[in-house]
Amino acid sequence: MTTDPITIRNIYVMMAYAFRSIQSSGNDTVGAEQFDKLHDLFAEILVRGVGTQVKRGLHQDYVHRREELATVRGRIDVSRSIAEHSRSRGRLICGYDEYDPDTPHNRALKSVIILLVRHGEISRSRKEALRRLLPYMDAVTTVAPTSIRWSALTVHRSNASYRLLLGVCELIVRGLLQTESSGDKKLTTWLPDEAMSRLYERFLLEYFAFHHPELSPKAPYIAWDYDTSLSSGTNHLPTMKTDLRLRHGGKSLIVDAKYYSSSLQTGQWGKESVNSANLYQILAYTKNADVAQDGSVSGLLLYARTNAPAQPNLDITLQGTRIGARTLDLSQPWSQLQTQLESLTTWLDC
């Protein structure tokens, strides 16, 4: 799916929610600016966010080091000292922890800043602003951006300000494209569909977590509601993982977020319909979640709106279960987009 219909400002807002930085004072004015290119948006977030972090002091952590020393520091590695005959030279191999800014989090920031400066389509002024940040990170090791293990970069209270910055860095790296001629890396103008799909899913969950905690927004797994006495080989059943579940007054709504180039499928005779696999999926989710079989669980396929002339607008009741398919127009001004999001809560009205 091309992201052309999505305004760049809305991408910023989606990132701010997805990475739980909607109240970040260092970036809250970014959304009010106009950006012609996505890379400029990313660059501006990093310029402001990393600049603020540099003023506060880069987050530091204990880094374990092991080296041959003339004086004892930390714990002596006796076996390695003997094996490498370090004692005969009057030196010992020691392992110790050092409070250092050369952490995986800072390595990711520095390496992606360099990547964006070299290969991003950003304005000269923002390139210069990014370059001015690098001397403050001299103590941080540069690594290959594709080697960064994003799932290992945990964010907690002491480094919470890194959440949006690392999220932006991950999106930048996932937008890498290998050129056929020189083998150099350069960045795509827009994010690939996989990255946008993950951002879309995460944005929906975090939006409701921020604005509607009373609806207990979660993305839980759903257990298959099978008869244990009549079933075997149940370990081969596929996992059912929701994108969003809302609850209120004994009712539940399961939302499955879809980010595709086409939200409708075309049959053999040209008839357009909701994607059958998507429909079967949301029906399976709702039927198995509705253990009481009382119709208290509804399901909604929420597609990111495309440029296609026809869009899904389905709302039916199947065997007592309400199922729907509709779109979220990410090209609208934020106030209108928020109105569309708020309308989802009407599915929980008693």
Side-chain angles (χ1 to χ4, degrees):
M1 173 177 177
T2 176
T3 54
D4 290 342
I6 305 178
T7 63
I8 294 181
R9 184 184 185 281
N10 281 347
I11 291 181
Y12 165 74
V13 176
M14 290 170 68
M15 288 191 298
Y17 277 104
F19 300 111
R20 303 176 191 172
S21 300
I22 196 64
Q23 291 179 317
S24 174
S25 58
N27 296 294
D28 54 8
T29 59
V30 174
E33 294 194 18
Q34 295 296 321
F35 296 92
D36 295 326
K37 295 179 180 178
L38 186 59
H39 295 177
D40 269 325
L41 170 62
F42 287 162
E44 187 65 23
I45 293 174
L46 292 179
V47 166
R48 297 190 187 198
V50 179
T52 300
Q53 198 63 51
V54 165
K55 292 176 183 177
R56 294 175 182 168
L58 292 174
H59 176 259
Q60 299 185 40
D61 207 346
Y62 285 104
V63 177
H64 186 72
R65 303 192 186 283
R66 187 181 300 274
E67 57 182 318
E68 191 177 87
L69 302 172
T71 57
V72 176
R73 184 176 182 184
R75 179 176 297 179
I76 300 173
D77 190 330
V78 178
S79 58
R80 284 192 60 185
S81 295
I82 294 174
E84 298 181 20
H85 306 290
S86 298
R87 295 184 63 184
S88 63
R89 300 192 297 273
R91 302 173 73 85
L92 295 170
I93 294 177
C94 301
Y96 59 92
D97 292 329
E98 187 173 56
Y99 208 52
D100 197 291
D102 192 18
T103 65
H105 300 68
N106 288 328
R107 291 176 184 176
L109 288 183
K110 180 180 180 179
S111 302
V112 175
I113 286 174
I114 293 173
L115 176 69
L116 196 56
V117 167
R118 291 177 178 174
H119 303 294
E121 296 180 7
I122 58 179
S123 66
R124 180 177 298 179
S125 62
R126 289 194 174 97
K127 277 191 178 182
E128 290 303 317
L130 287 173
R131 286 195 180 102
R132 287 195 293 270
L133 294 173
L134 294 175
Y136 296 100
M137 309 181 82
D138 278 344
V140 179
T141 303
T142 304
V143 297
T146 51
S147 71
I148 298 170
R149 295 175 56 218
W150 300 104
S151 60
L153 300 180
T154 56
V155 179
H156 41 77
R157 182 177 297 178
S158 65
N159 65 357
S161 56
Y162 277 65
R163 192 186 304 275
L164 176 60
L165 299 177
L166 291 173
V168 169
C169 287
E170 182 179 0
L171 291 176
I172 290 171
V173 173
R174 291 188 183 281
L176 280 175
L177 194 65
Q178 186 81 28
T179 60
E180 297 180 0
S181 54
S182 64
D184 292 334
K185 298 282 188 181
K186 71 176 184 179
L187 295 171
T188 56
T189 302
W190 293 100
L191 296 175
D193 286 356
E194 181 184 358
M196 278 303 302
S197 179
R198 292 176 67 248
L199 176 62
Y200 181 49
E201 294 167 8
R202 195 166 174 178
F203 156 66
L204 289 174
L205 175 61
E206 295 300 336
Y207 173 86
F208 284 96
F210 185 84
H211 291 286
H212 293 286
E214 76 281 2
L215 300 181
S216 303
K218 294 185 183 301
Y221 288 92
I222 297 175
W224 288 90
D225 186 25
Y226 56 83
D227 190 325
T228 54
S229 63
L230 300 174
S231 306
S232 63
T234 55
N235 58 308
H236 291 156
L237 285 170
T239 299
M240 292 190 289
K241 175 71 165 65
T242 62
D243 294 328
L244 173 65
R245 185 198 64 196
L246 304 175
R247 283 181 168 176
H248 178 67
K251 286 196 170 186
S252 297
L253 171 65
I254 295 173
V255 178
D256 199 35
K258 299 297 184 184
Y259 189 92
Y260 295 153
S261 58
S262 177
S263 51
L264 292 173
Q265 65 182 12
T266 304
Q268 183 178 1
W269 308 109
K271 178 186 176 182
E272 292 183 312
S273 62
V274 174
N275 184 286
S276 53
N278 295 167
L279 194 59
Y280 301 153
Q281 179 185 23
I282 195 65
L283 186 60
Y285 284 6
T286 52
K287 282 296 186 183
N288 282 276
D290 188 10
V291 179
Q293 299 181 3
D294 58 1
S296 60
V297 182
S298 302
L300 178 65
L301 294 169
L302 189 60
Y303 293 90
R305 190 177 182 89
T306 67
N307 283 327
Q311 300 291 328
N313 186 23
L314 178 70
D315 189 348
I316 60 173
T317 299
L318 290 171
Q319 300 172 341
T321 299
R322 186 183 180 189
I323 298 291
R326 57 194 291 187
T327 62
L328 188 66
D329 192 348
L330 300 174
S331 69
Q332 294 295 313
W334 172 246
S335 59
Q336 296 180 34
L337 178 55
Q338 190 169 23
T339 299
Q340 294 178 59
L341 288 166
E342 291 296 320
S343 69
L344 300 186
T345 62
T346 61
W347 282 65
L348 294 170
D349 292 343
C350 297

